[in-house]
């Protein structure tokens, strides 16, 4: 179990300084989140790319009544997974800039106070045959982050998914 924990920590918390393509046959979903505390509004976006960096799909959504950045990131991750599943994608690496959420999912025993959130995320991820969750530097998800900021900073609250 200790060996598995060490491997999970190594795989789950890798923080690359540039966008790293997924392995052949996999897709990578970079997730961007922006949150405005004063109005409890979050913007979420995801960009799905193949191993060549070609954008396959991308989406944006506004989330209201969000009380913290942590909650915003959880909601956007859940929505991103749901979106990817609804578009019949499989073998997906989800990349976000939050090591806590990544570790919550990969090492749930170490996060007993977050059982509800972990259960929600895992329940969604179970809809995929193959998945990975990795922490990446915020700069690696720049495109998704700019789209998410369109909600909070640009007032673009219309949700969409596009090719």
């Amino acid at each position: 179990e200790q060996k598995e924990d060490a491997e999970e920590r190594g795989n789950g918390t890798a923080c690359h300084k540039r966008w790293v393509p997924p392995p052949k046959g996999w897709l990578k979903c970079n997730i961007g989140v922006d949150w405005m505390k004063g109005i409890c509004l979050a913007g979420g976006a995801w960009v799905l790319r193949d191993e060549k960096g070609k954008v396959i799909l991308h989406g944006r959504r506004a989330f209201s009544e969000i009380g913290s950045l942590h909650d915003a990131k959880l909601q956007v991750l859940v929505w991103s997974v749901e979106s990817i599943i609804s578009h019949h994608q499989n073998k997906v690496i989800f990349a976000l800039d939050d090591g806590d959420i990544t570790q919550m999912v990969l090492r749930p025993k170490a996060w007993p106070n977050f059982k509800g959130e972990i259960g929600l995320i895992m329940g969604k991820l179970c809809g995929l045959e193959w998945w990975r969750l990795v922490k990446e530097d915020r700069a690696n998800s720049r495109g998704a982050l700019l789209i998410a900021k369109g909600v909070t900073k640009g007032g673009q609250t219309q949700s969409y998914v596009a090719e």
Side-chain angles (χ1 to χ4, degrees):
E1 187 174 21
Q2 287 176 339
K3 183 180 177 185
E4 287 178 14
D5 284 350
E7 287 175 3
E8 287 174 349
R9 278 194 303 276
N11 291 336
T13 61
C15 190
H16 303 287
K17 296 297 182 190
R18 62 176 181 81
W19 188 79
V20 176
K24 190 170 179 67
W26 285 73
L27 299 173
K28 188 172 201 179
C29 181
N30 288 90
I31 298 170
V33 181
D34 195 49
W35 176 64
M36 290 187 75
K37 181 179 182 176
I39 58 173
C40 297
L41 176 70
W46 52 265
V47 177
L48 186 69
R49 295 189 277 184
D50 65 14
E51 71 269 5
K52 295 178 183 172
K54 179 183 175 200
V55 174
I56 308 299
L57 294 167
H58 57 95
R60 174 185 70 210
R61 181 175 165 193
F63 295 82
S64 59
E65 303 299 320
I66 302 294
S68 70
L69 180 58
H70 178 79
D71 289 345
K73 288 181 178 184
L74 284 171
Q75 291 295 321
V76 174
L77 174 59
V78 168
W79 165 70
S80 299
V81 173
E82 290 172 342
S83 296
I84 296 303
I85 291 169
S86 72
H87 286 89
H88 308 290
Q89 301 298 322
N90 211 356
K91 283 188 132 177
V92 178
I93 298 168
F94 293 91
L96 68 159
D97 69 347
D98 191 300
D100 287 347
I101 292 176
T102 303
Q103 286 302 304
M104 280 172 38
V105 173
L106 298 177
R107 301 185 65 232
K109 290 179 186 174
W111 297 80
N113 293 341
F114 293 89
K115 256 186 190 165
E117 290 91 339
I118 295 166
L120 177 64
I121 295 167
M122 290 302 294
K124 300 300 179 185
L125 287 168
C126 285
L128 291 166
E129 187 176 356
W130 300 95
W131 61 268
R132 285 186 60 204
L133 181 63
V134 297
K135 179 189 184 303
E136 282 195 349
D137 192 76
R138 188 174 172 105
N140 295 349
S141 297
R142 186 172 183 264
L145 182 59
L146 290 172
I147 296 168
K149 284 185 176 190
V151 172
T152 55
K153 309 292 191 282
Q156 300 170 334
T157 57
Q158 179 69 42
S159 298
Y160 76 83
V161 173
E163 290 186 27

